[in-house]
């Protein structure tokens, strides 16, 4: 059983590794997770939100600017990330 949060696009499971080609204009690919990382496609507008900027600060503290996945990696649980982004939809 799955659900979709409007505003976040989930990356396809069987995707060719052309990471930049599958990101629509106005969106950004990020990786979320503490162990196994899951890829999410988020609106660029989230970058202006203070709560999302806090997550980016955590990512900077943990990874600096050298992200091991090749994109922005946020070291939080997927549930925390989904809770935050669902709240951002209504702002």
């Amino acid at each position: 059983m799955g659900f979709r949060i409007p505003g976040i696009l989930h990356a396809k499971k069987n995707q060719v590794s052309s990471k930049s080609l599958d990101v629509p204009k106005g969106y950004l690919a990020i990786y979320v997770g503490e162990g196994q990382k899951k890829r999410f496609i988020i609106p660029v507008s989230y970058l202006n939100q203070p709560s999302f900027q806090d997550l980016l600060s955590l990512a900077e503290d943990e990874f600096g600017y050298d992200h091991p996945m090749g994109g922005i990696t946020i070291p939080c649980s997927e549930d925390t990330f989904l809770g935050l982004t669902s709240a951002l939809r209504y702002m």
Side-chain angles (χ1 to χ4, degrees):
M1 181 168 129
F3 60 94
R4 181 176 169 178
I5 297 176
I8 298 178
L9 305 174
H10 293 276
K12 296 177 183 171
K13 298 246 183 224
N14 297 330
Q15 210 163 26
V16 180
S17 75
S18 60
K19 296 180 189 217
S20 64
L21 297 178
D22 61 340
V23 180
K25 185 175 182 175
Y27 287 81
L28 173 71
I30 62 166
Y31 297 89
V32 176
E34 295 167 322
Q36 175 118 3
K37 309 289 189 244
K38 186 169 182 181
R39 188 171 189 236
F40 290 90
I41 310 297
I42 61 163
V44 172
S45 62
Y46 284 7
L47 297 175
N48 293 326
Q49 301 298 325
S51 54
F52 197 82
Q53 289 176 2
D54 290 341
L55 279 180
L56 291 176
S57 291
L58 287 174
E60 180 184 5
D61 291 344
E62 177 128 352
F63 298 111
Y65 291 106
D66 181 27
H67 294 277
M69 300 291 291
I72 294 175
T73 304
I74 297 180
C76 71
S77 72
E78 189 177 327
D79 290 336
T80 300
F81 176 76
L82 291 174
L84 172 82
T85 54
S86 67
L88 291 176
R89 276 192 327 220
Y90 301 107
M91 294 185 147

